[in-house]
Amino acid sequence: MTAPGRRSSTFTRLLRHGFTDPSAAERLLDSAELTPVRNDPVLLDALGATADPDLALQGLVRLLEAQPGPTARRELLDTLIAAKPLRDRLLGVLGASAALADHLTRHPRDWEVLVTYEPRDLHPGVEEFERGLAGATDPVSLRVAYRRCLLSIAARDVCGTTDVAETAAELADLATATLRAALAVARASSPDDAALCRLAVIAMGKCGGHELNYVSDVDVIFVGEAVEGADEGKALRSATRLASHMMRVCSETTVEGSIWPVDANLRPEGRNGPLVRTLASHLAYYQRWAKTWEFQALLKARPVAGDIELGEEYVAALEPLVWQAAERENFVTDVQKMRRRVVENIPAAEIDRELKLGPGGLRDVEFAVQLLQLVHGRADTSLRSGTTLDALQALAAGGYVGREDAVQLDDAYRFLRTMEHRIQLYRLRRTHLVPEDEADQRRLGRSLGLRADPVADLNREWRRHAAVVRRLHEKLFYRPLLDAVAQLAPGEVRLSPEAARERLVALGYADPAAALRHLEALASGVTRKAAIQRTLLPVLLGWFADSADPDAGLLNFRKVSDALGKTPWYLRLLRDEGAAAENLARVLSAGRLAPDLLMRAPEAVALLGDGDGGGGLEPRGREQLEQEILAAVGRADGAAQAVTAARGVRRRELFRTAAADIVGSYGTETQPAEADQGALVDRVGGAVSDLTAATLAGTLRAVVRDGWGDTLPTRFAVIGMGRFGGHELGYGSDADVLFVHEPREGVAEREASDAANKVVSEMRRLLQLPSADPPLLIDADLRPEGKTGPLVRTLKSYEAYYRRWSLVWESQALLRAEPVAGDEELGRRFVELIDPLRYPAGGLGDDAVREIRRLKARMESERLPRGADPKLHTKLGPGGLSDVEWTVQLLQLQHGRAESGLRTTRTRQALAAAREAGLISAEDASILDEAWVLATRVRNAVMLVRGRAGDTFPSGGREVAAVGRYLGYADGHVGDMLDAYRRTARRARGVVEALFYGA
């Protein structure tokens, strides 16, 4: 008897053997059924070797209890102790599968199938499984026989007699035998139908690929023909009844459960198409209507049941079409859509546990292998295998995948498939989710041989293999391209130039010959530079291919590398700083503006790193920018050199802003795209406006110093107007300004005026001089009297004009006025002068409101470019920038005096203030804000993509696709983008009609 408080030696032994509930295990070992072997160490050792000793012991006791009598129990126990093969197989199954333990309990003599194994039993095929199912003549007996065969497969699996590929092949062979048996049941019940038709069952998916899971839908396609002399219509109806009956035999739930669903949705037209078609009908569909994914599915087509000769005719007829799929015009787009659909359909709560479809999952391997097969299998028939691992081996043998990569991918795929098998085996349920429960993870880990710390080791190994898959999935397409053009070691198998061109076309490169030339220039040779490029380019090629214009990305990368390749820090930056290479790839392939800015000073690539050297992509503040520009101006000899330096800073900072915008809009592998679109717009508008102000300040200083020394004869200030004053400049915006001056004491007004005009003239000239830097255009057309009025006025002149002649549109324009450069005191006094005009006491009168509405209506009708689609014009179209801004500005004019929050030059701030003041509902404010942000984003995108400003979407396919990518739309979704813009603008126009026009 065990002393109180002390555990028995059995309890301790059970813990040591891996039991998690030793007390319950002790009670089971003490049960009458196990009395004869209770103290036999062989049994305890065997239980301890299973995936779940507690589960194995429970299953054994249940199996013994289910035996028909003492003799049968004794026979089982004697065999169990004496025969190690049975002991390992039976306890291994009981410790891994509660579902098969249930089957054994219901059919207690089925354990006998595990007793002896002849050599032929170790790797059974379809013939052996057909013998195992031979006695099944109805759905119930078929299920029992199926699980009996499954029991033997599982036993070989958990004992390591077969590896995961052999197990998957056995499961596919068992499915083949089961489909044949089910079809025989259907024929036996409908002999008249069977006599009228030839029916072939084509296995698809994993069954067709000879790599089935324990529990999976079995995908099939049916082909039917009339027997000689029979009516085709009647024959097809008979074939359809047989096919439907066969599917029910396998799928329906009986007292013995079901086998698995038979899924025929891969057939032409899916579930909307006829279940059975003739061979000619199949062929006509695939020749005219089939999508790319349907040809990819046909990679695994294999006749398995029914009329095998007809099935082989089907495969032979469709095979040429499969290997032409990569030549289809929409091949890349279709493939990308398919990838997106798979990922998008994963529930967010499951993506981290998704073994099959998640990042680094089984589908990544299968998808990459199948795409390589479709691209290269046209010319190389050795690649035409439906089995993933066989195809991967063939790809490696042909040089399409590196040998080391293939080995790593093979290892990872086998590990993940084994995980999938063991997860499904437990309950025989169709699932691809890694369990969350620790006990389930412990059993899973032990089943994979991880015994020291099963849970921790399982998660570590799973994540490691998933990371390998994810990395190689990205690399698989790209690495062999470099091997094709680089000078590799003698004897190394390389991708042929023709195969490399095919690969590039499949990836979306429009000019594969040029792309190969770029790769050769970058990666050939034995220099350290070439070696580093060969390391970088596989990933970069993938990022380029993920853009709307991969050709431009690769070309731009070559240009940057040619300019900086001998600079020691350049390749080190890309290799060692995680963010730099991906940021560069995104920037170089997103459009023309950012690459053009970078090419003029390639050293700006340092900004793309995540270190401290280049300052990163965070926008710099106005004060910091002005300080740098003024310092550069101070060091320069003459105004021309000084403004050149200022424009150089402006170019670099425009690149910083554009790069940050692109990276924030596209996202990276580690950082998702910025969700707050308004924040992106504000960041660009603020950064470009601050940069323009700093550039004007530096130019003003340079011109004054060059012509007058330290002091100009007149005080001088630059007033930002329009988007400039509103901190809302885009990449292609002019700088709208007013110039104001005030003669210094003792200076004649004529002298002061001449000096001020000379300053303005010289600033405009220097900022537009042809150079490598983009010009900064100064637009003063919003001044009093417009283009016919003086370019610069004194403060008193402004005061006199506004007092006598000011029109309502000028008051509206002054809402955006803000000093940006020059004499701060003069700028402040100008603001004091105009405040009563833009925020009038008592608001606006009815006449003024009508005048504003009239001006707006005239602008809409007269200024819209001829031929432009108004619904897609971001500035003047319905719901565009003008609509929103005029609505907000009308509220400012009416209520700015009473509501201090409205006294701002910024549209979004004024709109938020109007909402806070109750002048506009929260819903209407949100609608206007969304429309304004979207229209601004489109204008920024157009400038980034085309390198020149535009107010509407581009017409070119690649350009509009690039705008879509910037806005967050994947390839193939341009229509969705345009629809979303129209919808957003339409809603905004409804609000404008109500608030601005009073409709």
Side-chain angles (χ1 to χ4, degrees), residues 279-291:
L279 177 55
S281 176
H282 276 286
L283 193 57
Y285 173 84
Y286 283 106
Q287 286 172 335
R288 293 191 63 190
W289 307 112
K291 297 181 174 63

Side-chain angles (χ1 to χ4, degrees), residues 637-711:
D637 294 328
Q641 190 183 95
V643 175
T644 297
R647 289 175 65 181
V649 174
R650 177 171 176 264
R651 180 204 58 237
R652 184 197 68 210
E653 294 305 316
L654 277 175
F655 173 75
R656 188 198 303 267
T657 303
D661 189 17
I662 291 166
V663 171
S665 297
Y666 273 63
T668 65
E669 287 193 348
T670 57
Q671 187 71 33
E674 171 66 64
D676 186 349
Q677 304 291 295
L680 285 170
V681 164
D682 291 344
R683 201 173 301 147
V684 172
V688 177
S689 299
D690 284 345
L691 179 56
T692 301
T695 305
L696 289 179
T699 304
L700 176 59
R701 172 76 63 86
V703 169
V704 170
R705 189 189 64 178
D706 206 45
W708 296 271
D710 293 332
T711 306

Side-chain angles (χ1 to χ4, degrees), residues 341-361:
R341 199 178 314 125
V342 167
V343 175
E344 288 167 0
N345 287 338
I346 305 173
E350 296 179 358
I351 193 166
D352 290 336
R353 297 190 294 125
E354 177 58 70
L355 195 63
K356 178 180 178 180
L357 305 178

Side-chain angles (χ1 to χ4, degrees), residues 719-901:
I719 310 298
M721 298 289 286
R723 297 193 175 285
F724 186 15
H727 297 256
E728 296 161 1
L729 283 180
Y731 300 109
S733 301
D734 296 346
D736 290 322
V737 298
L738 298 178
F739 297 108
V740 57
H741 78 102
E742 185 178 64
R744 295 185 184 278
E745 189 174 348
V747 176
E749 189 162 320
R750 180 59 181 269
E751 180 188 352
S753 177
D754 288 347
N757 276 284
K758 187 174 180 182
V759 166
V760 171
S761 175
E762 190 66 2
M763 286 179 68
R764 298 179 81 176
R765 183 185 72 82
L766 291 172
L767 287 170
Q768 296 178 50
L769 280 176
S771 79
D773 302 314
L776 175 56
L777 302 178
I778 297 176
D779 187 341
D781 289 353
L782 291 175
R783 66 189 183 269
E785 302 178 73
K787 293 181 179 180
T788 62
L791 198 58
V792 59
R793 289 174 180 260
T794 64
L795 186 62
K796 287 183 178 180
S797 175
Y798 275 108
E799 182 180 11
Y801 175 85
Y802 287 138
R803 185 174 63 250
R804 296 187 60 189
W805 308 110
S806 176
L807 301 174
V808 67
W809 74 263
E810 290 176 300
S811 295
Q812 182 181 350
L814 289 170
L815 287 167
R816 315 292 292 276
E818 180 176 289
V820 294
D823 191 295
E824 292 182 8
E825 172 65 16
L826 182 59
R828 183 185 61 75
R829 287 164 56 203
F830 180 85
V831 168
E832 290 175 352
L833 166 67
I834 64 172
D835 270 353
L837 288 168
R838 56 183 179 175
Y839 309 125
L844 285 184
D846 292 342
D847 289 345
V849 172
R850 278 193 295 271
E851 176 65 10
I852 288 176
R853 289 171 177 165
R854 188 187 64 77
L855 288 170
K856 175 75 167 68
R858 194 179 80 184
M859 184 177 70
E860 288 178 14
S861 63
E862 294 179 1
R863 293 180 58 186
L864 194 70
R866 181 175 297 177
D869 181 353
K871 293 179 180 178
L872 292 176
H873 199 279
T874 60
K875 183 175 182 181
L876 301 176
L881 294 171
S882 174
D883 265 4
V884 177
E885 290 166 1
W886 281 59
T887 301
V888 171
Q889 289 161 14
L890 181 59
L891 291 173
Q892 289 181 282
L893 289 165
Q894 290 173 320
H895 305 284
R897 175 62 66 92
E899 297 291 341
S900 60

Side-chain angles (χ1 to χ4, degrees), residues 456-488:
D457 292 348
L458 170 70
N459 281 282
R460 185 182 64 251
E461 287 298 294
W462 169 33
R463 300 300 179 189
R464 181 176 69 82
H465 283 296
V468 167
V469 168
R470 194 170 188 181
R471 175 175 59 83
L472 292 181
H473 173 75
E474 298 297 326
K475 179 181 177 183
L476 206 52
F477 262 107
Y478 317 123
R479 179 80 234 182
L481 292 169
L482 306 181
D483 295 346
V485 297
Q487 298 172 13
L488 302 179

